[in-house]
mmCIF file with all atom_site columns, all heavy atoms in Angstrom:
data_model
loop_
_atom_site.group_PDB
_atom_site.id
_atom_site.type_symbol
_atom_site.label_atom_id
_atom_site.label_alt_id
_atom_site.label_comp_id
_atom_site.label_asym_id
_atom_site.label_entity_id
_atom_site.label_seq_id
_atom_site.pdbx_PDB_ins_code
_atom_site.Cartn_x
_atom_site.Cartn_y
_atom_site.Cartn_z
_atom_site.occupancy
_atom_site.B_iso_or_equiv
_atom_site.pdbx_formal_charge
_atom_site.auth_seq_id
_atom_site.auth_comp_id
_atom_site.auth_asym_id
_atom_site.auth_atom_id
_atom_site.pdbx_PDB_model_num
ATOM 1  N N   . VAL A 1 634 ? 30.533 -14.525 -24.481 1.00 95.00 ? 634 VAL A N   1
ATOM 2  C CA  . VAL A 1 634 ? 31.401 -15.679 -24.408 1.00 95.00 ? 634 VAL A CA  1
ATOM 3  C C   . VAL A 1 634 ? 31.286 -16.455 -25.729 1.00 95.00 ? 634 VAL A C   1
ATOM 4  O O   . VAL A 1 634 ? 32.305 -16.853 -26.341 1.00 95.00 ? 634 VAL A O   1
ATOM 5  C CB  . VAL A 1 634 ? 31.087 -16.536 -23.315 1.00 95.00 ? 634 VAL A CB  1
ATOM 6  C CG1 . VAL A 1 634 ? 31.846 -17.771 -23.198 1.00 95.00 ? 634 VAL A CG1 1
ATOM 7  C CG2 . VAL A 1 634 ? 31.036 -15.896 -21.982 1.00 95.00 ? 634 VAL A CG2 1
ATOM 8  N N   . ILE A 1 635 ? 30.083 -16.523 -26.339 1.00 95.00 ? 635 ILE A N   1
ATOM 9  C CA  . ILE A 1 635 ? 29.853 -17.280 -27.630 1.00 95.00 ? 635 ILE A CA  1
ATOM 10 C C   . ILE A 1 635 ? 30.676 -16.545 -28.715 1.00 95.00 ? 635 ILE A C   1
ATOM 11 O O   . ILE A 1 635 ? 31.404 -17.112 -29.486 1.00 95.00 ? 635 ILE A O   1
ATOM 12 C CB  . ILE A 1 635 ? 28.378 -17.418 -27.960 1.00 95.00 ? 635 ILE A CB  1
ATOM 13 C CG1 . ILE A 1 635 ? 27.747 -18.243 -26.899 1.00 95.00 ? 635 ILE A CG1 1
ATOM 14 C CG2 . ILE A 1 635 ? 28.209 -17.824 -29.381 1.00 95.00 ? 635 ILE A CG2 1
ATOM 15 C CD1 . ILE A 1 635 ? 26.103 -18.268 -27.039 1.00 95.00 ? 635 ILE A CD1 1
ATOM 16 N N   . HIS A 1 636 ? 30.563 -15.125 -28.910 1.00 95.00 ? 636 HIS A N   1
ATOM 17 C CA  . HIS A 1 636 ? 31.150 -14.386 -29.808 1.00 95.00 ? 636 HIS A CA  1
ATOM 18 C C   . HIS A 1 636 ? 32.778 -14.391 -29.605 1.00 95.00 ? 636 HIS A C   1
ATOM 19 O O   . HIS A 1 636 ? 33.450 -14.545 -30.558 1.00 95.00 ? 636 HIS A O   1
ATOM 20 C CB  . HIS A 1 636 ? 30.833 -13.000 -29.758 1.00 95.00 ? 636 HIS A CB  1
ATOM 21 C CG  . HIS A 1 636 ? 29.573 -12.655 -30.575 1.00 95.00 ? 636 HIS A CG  1
ATOM 22 N ND1 . HIS A 1 636 ? 28.303 -12.937 -29.862 1.00 95.00 ? 636 HIS A ND1 1
ATOM 23 C CD2 . HIS A 1 636 ? 29.222 -12.062 -31.604 1.00 95.00 ? 636 HIS A CD2 1
ATOM 24 C CE1 . HIS A 1 636 ? 27.450 -12.597 -30.725 1.00 95.00 ? 636 HIS A CE1 1
ATOM 25 N NE2 . HIS A 1 636 ? 27.959 -12.075 -31.858 1.00 95.00 ? 636 HIS A NE2 1
ATOM 26 N N   . GLY A 1 637 ? 33.206 -14.459 -28.392 1.00 95.00 ? 637 GLY A N   1
ATOM 27 C CA  . GLY A 1 637 ? 34.682 -14.662 -28.076 1.00 95.00 ? 637 GLY A CA  1
ATOM 28 C C   . GLY A 1 637 ? 35.250 -15.972 -28.475 1.00 95.00 ? 637 GLY A C   1
ATOM 29 O O   . GLY A 1 637 ? 36.337 -16.159 -29.105 1.00 95.00 ? 637 GLY A O   1
ATOM 30 N N   . SER A 1 638 ? 34.405 -17.017 -28.250 1.00 95.00 ? 638 SER A N   1
ATOM 31 C CA  . SER A 1 638 ? 34.834 -18.379 -28.726 1.00 95.00 ? 638 SER A CA  1
ATOM 32 C C   . SER A 1 638 ? 34.947 -18.453 -30.165 1.00 95.00 ? 638 SER A C   1
ATOM 33 O O   . SER A 1 638 ? 35.873 -19.092 -30.774 1.00 95.00 ? 638 SER A O   1
ATOM 34 C CB  . SER A 1 638 ? 33.940 -19.308 -28.128 1.00 95.00 ? 638 SER A CB  1
ATOM 35 O OG  . SER A 1 638 ? 33.910 -19.366 -26.670 1.00 95.00 ? 638 SER A OG  1
ATOM 36 N N   . ALA A 1 639 ? 33.954 -17.845 -30.844 1.00 95.00 ? 639 ALA A N   1
ATOM 37 C CA  . ALA A 1 639 ? 34.027 -17.926 -32.315 1.00 95.00 ? 639 ALA A CA  1
ATOM 38 C C   . ALA A 1 639 ? 35.194 -17.065 -32.880 1.00 95.00 ? 639 ALA A C   1
ATOM 39 O O   . ALA A 1 639 ? 35.737 -17.582 -33.865 1.00 95.00 ? 639 ALA A O   1
ATOM 40 C CB  . ALA A 1 639 ? 32.671 -17.209 -32.895 1.00 95.00 ? 639 ALA A CB  1
ATOM 41 N N   . ILE A 1 640 ? 35.569 -15.962 -32.186 1.00 95.00 ? 640 ILE A N   1
ATOM 42 C CA  . ILE A 1 640 ? 36.639 -15.216 -32.726 1.00 95.00 ? 640 ILE A CA  1
ATOM 43 C C   . ILE A 1 640 ? 38.026 -16.027 -32.536 1.00 95.00 ? 640 ILE A C   1
ATOM 44 O O   . ILE A 1 640 ? 38.829 -16.104 -33.302 1.00 95.00 ? 640 ILE A O   1
ATOM 45 C CB  . ILE A 1 640 ? 36.826 -13.932 -32.017 1.00 95.00 ? 640 ILE A CB  1
ATOM 46 C CG1 . ILE A 1 640 ? 35.649 -13.001 -32.448 1.00 95.00 ? 640 ILE A CG1 1
ATOM 47 C CG2 . ILE A 1 640 ? 38.095 -13.242 -32.279 1.00 95.00 ? 640 ILE A CG2 1
ATOM 48 C CD1 . ILE A 1 640 ? 35.469 -11.724 -31.696 1.00 95.00 ? 640 ILE A CD1 1
ATOM 49 N N   . ASP A 1 641 ? 38.156 -16.774 -31.340 1.00 94.00 ? 641 ASP A N   1
ATOM 50 C CA  . ASP A 1 641 ? 39.415 -17.542 -31.037 1.00 94.00 ? 641 ASP A CA  1
ATOM 51 C C   . ASP A 1 641 ? 39.561 -18.740 -32.099 1.00 94.00 ? 641 ASP A C   1
ATOM 52 O O   . ASP A 1 641 ? 40.662 -19.020 -32.310 1.00 94.00 ? 641 ASP A O   1
ATOM 53 C CB  . ASP A 1 641 ? 39.205 -18.205 -29.682 1.00 94.00 ? 641 ASP A CB  1
ATOM 54 C CG  . ASP A 1 641 ? 39.473 -17.174 -28.564 1.00 94.00 ? 641 ASP A CG  1
ATOM 55 O OD1 . ASP A 1 641 ? 40.016 -16.133 -28.755 1.00 94.00 ? 641 ASP A OD1 1
ATOM 56 O OD2 . ASP A 1 641 ? 39.055 -17.430 -27.364 1.00 94.00 ? 641 ASP A OD2 1
ATOM 57 N N   . THR A 1 642 ? 38.446 -19.216 -32.725 1.00 94.00 ? 642 THR A N   1
ATOM 58 C CA  . THR A 1 642 ? 38.501 -20.308 -33.573 1.00 94.00 ? 642 THR A CA  1
ATOM 59 C C   . THR A 1 642 ? 39.149 -19.890 -34.931 1.00 94.00 ? 642 THR A C   1
ATOM 60 O O   . THR A 1 642 ? 39.596 -20.629 -35.719 1.00 94.00 ? 642 THR A O   1
ATOM 61 C CB  . THR A 1 642 ? 37.248 -20.876 -33.917 1.00 94.00 ? 642 THR A CB  1
ATOM 62 O OG1 . THR A 1 642 ? 36.288 -19.879 -34.497 1.00 94.00 ? 642 THR A OG1 1
ATOM 63 C CG2 . THR A 1 642 ? 36.588 -21.491 -32.676 1.00 94.00 ? 642 THR A CG2 1
ATOM 64 N N   . THR A 1 643 ? 39.402 -18.517 -35.148 1.00 94.00 ? 643 THR A N   1
ATOM 65 C CA  . THR A 1 643 ? 39.928 -17.981 -36.399 1.00 94.00 ? 643 THR A CA  1
ATOM 66 C C   . THR A 1 643 ? 41.322 -17.619 -36.202 1.00 94.00 ? 643 THR A C   1
ATOM 67 O O   . THR A 1 643 ? 41.994 -17.109 -37.103 1.00 94.00 ? 643 THR A O   1
ATOM 68 C CB  . THR A 1 643 ? 39.168 -16.683 -36.805 1.00 94.00 ? 643 THR A CB  1
ATOM 69 O OG1 . THR A 1 643 ? 39.252 -15.753 -35.951 1.00 94.00 ? 643 THR A OG1 1
ATOM 70 C CG2 . THR A 1 643 ? 37.791 -17.164 -37.097 1.00 94.00 ? 643 THR A CG2 1
ATOM 71 N N   . CYS A 1 644 ? 41.991 -17.863 -34.954 1.00 93.00 ? 644 CYS A N   1
ATOM 72 C CA  . CYS A 1 644 ? 43.349 -17.435 -34.737 1.00 93.00 ? 644 CYS A CA  1
ATOM 73 C C   . CYS A 1 644 ? 44.366 -18.435 -35.358 1.00 93.00 ? 644 CYS A C   1
ATOM 74 O O   . CYS A 1 644 ? 44.058 -19.659 -35.336 1.00 93.00 ? 644 CYS A O   1
ATOM 75 C CB  . CYS A 1 644 ? 43.570 -17.434 -33.190 1.00 93.00 ? 644 CYS A CB  1
ATOM 76 S SG  . CYS A 1 644 ? 45.254 -16.836 -32.757 1.00 93.00 ? 644 CYS A SG  1
ATOM 77 N N   . VAL A 1 645 ? 45.330 -17.851 -35.963 1.00 91.00 ? 645 VAL A N   1
ATOM 78 C CA  . VAL A 1 645 ? 46.471 -18.686 -36.670 1.00 91.00 ? 645 VAL A CA  1
ATOM 79 C C   . VAL A 1 645 ? 47.688 -18.638 -36.013 1.00 91.00 ? 645 VAL A C   1
ATOM 80 O O   . VAL A 1 645 ? 48.664 -19.403 -36.287 1.00 91.00 ? 645 VAL A O   1
ATOM 81 C CB  . VAL A 1 645 ? 46.438 -18.242 -38.185 1.00 91.00 ? 645 VAL A CB  1
ATOM 82 C CG1 . VAL A 1 645 ? 45.186 -18.571 -38.867 1.00 91.00 ? 645 VAL A CG1 1
ATOM 83 C CG2 . VAL A 1 645 ? 46.861 -16.853 -38.273 1.00 91.00 ? 645 VAL A CG2 1
ATOM 84 N N   . HIS A 1 646 ? 47.923 -17.749 -35.066 1.00 90.00 ? 646 HIS A N   1
ATOM 85 C CA  . HIS A 1 646 ? 49.122 -17.669 -34.199 1.00 90.00 ? 646 HIS A CA  1
ATOM 86 C C   . HIS A 1 646 ? 49.014 -17.160 -32.930 1.00 90.00 ? 646 HIS A C   1
ATOM 87 O O   . HIS A 1 646 ? 48.555 -15.881 -32.754 1.00 90.00 ? 646 HIS A O   1
ATOM 88 C CB  . HIS A 1 646 ? 50.232 -16.859 -35.092 1.00 90.00 ? 646 HIS A CB  1
ATOM 89 C CG  . HIS A 1 646 ? 51.571 -16.782 -34.309 1.00 90.00 ? 646 HIS A CG  1
ATOM 90 N ND1 . HIS A 1 646 ? 52.348 -17.787 -34.193 1.00 90.00 ? 646 HIS A ND1 1
ATOM 91 C CD2 . HIS A 1 646 ? 52.179 -15.728 -33.797 1.00 90.00 ? 646 HIS A CD2 1
ATOM 92 C CE1 . HIS A 1 646 ? 53.459 -17.428 -33.563 1.00 90.00 ? 646 HIS A CE1 1
ATOM 93 N NE2 . HIS A 1 646 ? 53.360 -16.127 -33.267 1.00 90.00 ? 646 HIS A NE2 1
#
Side-chain angles (χ1 to χ4, degrees):
V634 181
I635 294 173
H636 280 79
S638 300
I640 291 174
D641 284 342
T642 60
T643 65
C644 183
V645 293
H646 181 65

